[in-house]
Structure formats: C-alpha cells, structure tokens
Amino acid sequence: MKRIVASIGLLIASLFAVAETAEDPWEGFNRSMFTFNETVDEYGLKPLAQGYDAVTPNFMQKGVSNFFSNLGEVPNAFNNLFQGKFDETASSTFRFIINTTFGIFGLFDVASEMGLQRYKEDFGQTLGHWGVDSGPYLMLPFFGPSTVRDASGMVVDYSIYDAMDLYDFSDDQKWIARGINVIQVRARYLSAEQMVFGDRYTFIRDVYLQSRRAEIESLSGGDEFSAQDPYADEVQGDSWGDESEDSWGDTDSWGESN
C-alpha cells in the first residue's frame, strides 16, 4: 500500500516538476501524456503496425494510403475555401472527384498524375490563417502533439468533414476503416526512428510546432510538410508506388502518435 501511495505521489509531483517554457507551460502534464502514448504504442499499436507491414504488400499499403488521402480532400476543400484560397479549393475539389471516380474511390492518385497539386489544410490552420493564436502546446492522449487551437480545430474536422459519410458505410465499417488508417499511418513511421535524436519529447514537440508554424505561414508550399504524416507525398508518379523505390522501412520507430 505504501508503495502504491508513493508511486501516485511521484506521478503527481512529475506533473509540476518540469521547468515551464513559453510555448509549453504544461510540460509536466504533456510529458505524462507522452509517456502514456509511448506505452500504448509499445504494447499495442506498434506490434499491430509491424505485423501489418510484414504481411501487407507494398502496393496494397500505397492503395490504402491513397484512399484515406483522398478522403482528406474534403476537409482540404472546405478549409481552403474558408481561407479564401479559391484556386486551392478548386484543386482539392477536382482531386476528390477525379480520384474517387477514375481513381477507383481514391485507390489510385490519378489527380497527381494529371498535375493537380494537393493543398493540405485543416481547421487549426484556418483559425491560424485568421489570426487565432496557437495557445500552449498540448500533448493529447492517443492523438499526440497538438496545441489548444489545433485541438479545437481537430474537433471541427472530425465532426463536420467526415468524408466517409459520402459512402454507404455503416458505423461499424467506419470504425474498422479508421482503425486500418491508424495502423497504416503508424506503419509508415516504422523507418523514422533515425530522424529522432536527443530527448524524444522535446524533439517531437519542436518539430511539430515549427512545422505547424510553417504551414500556417505558407512557407512550405502547396502540400506542406506535416508532423502528423511526413510521408504523405513520398511518391509522385506511379500511384501504387514501386517497391524498389518506395520503401516503407522495417525498423522500429514512433515519430508521434497522431
């Protein structure tokens, strides 16, 4: 009993023991959530991703990635519209139409073959575009790195722009699809461990904040680097990928949990 009480005391103390920074005033809490996410990943998500990566052919993984990337064009279109980016709105809209039809529900990225660029936007970026401050850094359980503004935007994106509503999916099928997407994204991080150095928490936090700042300031072009999915654009050309050039990697890593 004493050991349990002592452990709880140490946990509570750890929430306040870490020095605060301007961008991360809740670092104690955030580190606790980071440790929780790492534990969930180590004993749950990573083994599933490793098994998926081992048994699923590369071209099938690319098809799954293309499918969910195509669903993402719906929030891309809305958020580009809300930001007054009309050319980007048109590109996102036509990408979704073309890939859904000619690309067989998005399994093929035909739109990229036709030269239509992807403009990835979310409601957090929309809020930032209109001057809403990011607020403190926030590590979310299961979802990973965020900020107060981006977490609020995530609620909007997940509740309003669910592109799976456009298909005749049952609720069970939607949850199965979301689960496959989580495993697919996690599998894409299996080769990213070499990119993380120093303190993992600090590294992931700094990469997230810097990349989000660049996205909102439009410093990284049309299809910006995203800390949540850094491999979203690794292949231009054959939408199924090429196993000789489009390696998914097979080493352990966990870039972040979002």
Side-chain angles (χ1 to χ4, degrees), residues 46-188:
K46 183 175 7 179
L48 287 174
Q50 290 172 327
Y52 171 87
D53 189 58
V55 303
T56 306
N58 193 57
F59 74 92
M60 291 183 64
Q61 294 190 37
K62 187 60 181 176
V64 171
S65 179
N66 285 340
F67 174 80
F68 287 103
S69 177
N70 185 54
L71 292 182
E73 295 296 352
V74 174
N76 290 345
F78 277 106
N79 283 296
N80 276 303
L81 178 62
F82 293 156
Q83 295 176 39
K85 301 176 180 178
F86 300 114
D87 290 342
E88 290 85 344
T89 301
S91 181
S92 297
T93 302
F94 282 115
R95 280 183 59 86
F96 180 76
I97 294 172
I98 291 170
N99 284 340
T100 300
T101 53
F102 298 105
I104 312 177
F105 300 104
L107 295 176
F108 294 94
D109 188 2
V110 179
S112 290
E113 303 280 356
M114 297 173 60
L116 286 173
Q117 191 169 357
R118 184 170 184 246
Y119 296 93
K120 189 174 183 298
E121 299 286 341
D122 55 56
F123 199 71
Q125 290 171 268
T126 297
L127 292 174
H129 175 81
W130 293 109
V132 177
D133 187 74
S134 67
Y137 178 72
L138 181 62
M139 178 64 68
L140 299 174
F142 300 109
F143 290 94
S146 187
T147 62
V148 171
R149 180 194 62 209
D150 292 344
S152 301
M154 186 185 303
V155 173
V156 175
D157 287 327
Y158 274 85
S159 60
I160 297 179
Y161 314 126
D162 190 352
M164 283 191 284
D165 289 338
L166 300 175
Y167 300 132
D168 190 22
F169 288 165
S170 67
D171 289 339
D172 289 342
Q173 289 171 329
K174 288 181 181 180
W175 283 111
I176 291 172
R178 292 187 182 104
I180 293 173
N181 186 37
V182 170
I183 295 172
Q184 165 71 30
V185 171
R186 179 61 183 92
R188 301 178 80 166

Side-chain angles (χ1 to χ4, degrees), residues 216-236:
I216 291 169
E217 294 174 356
S218 298
L219 297 179
S220 51
D223 196 1
E224 303 98 338
F225 169 85
S226 171
Q228 297 175 328
D229 191 1
Y231 303 111
D233 312 303
E234 80 256 53
V235 175
Q236 297 294 332

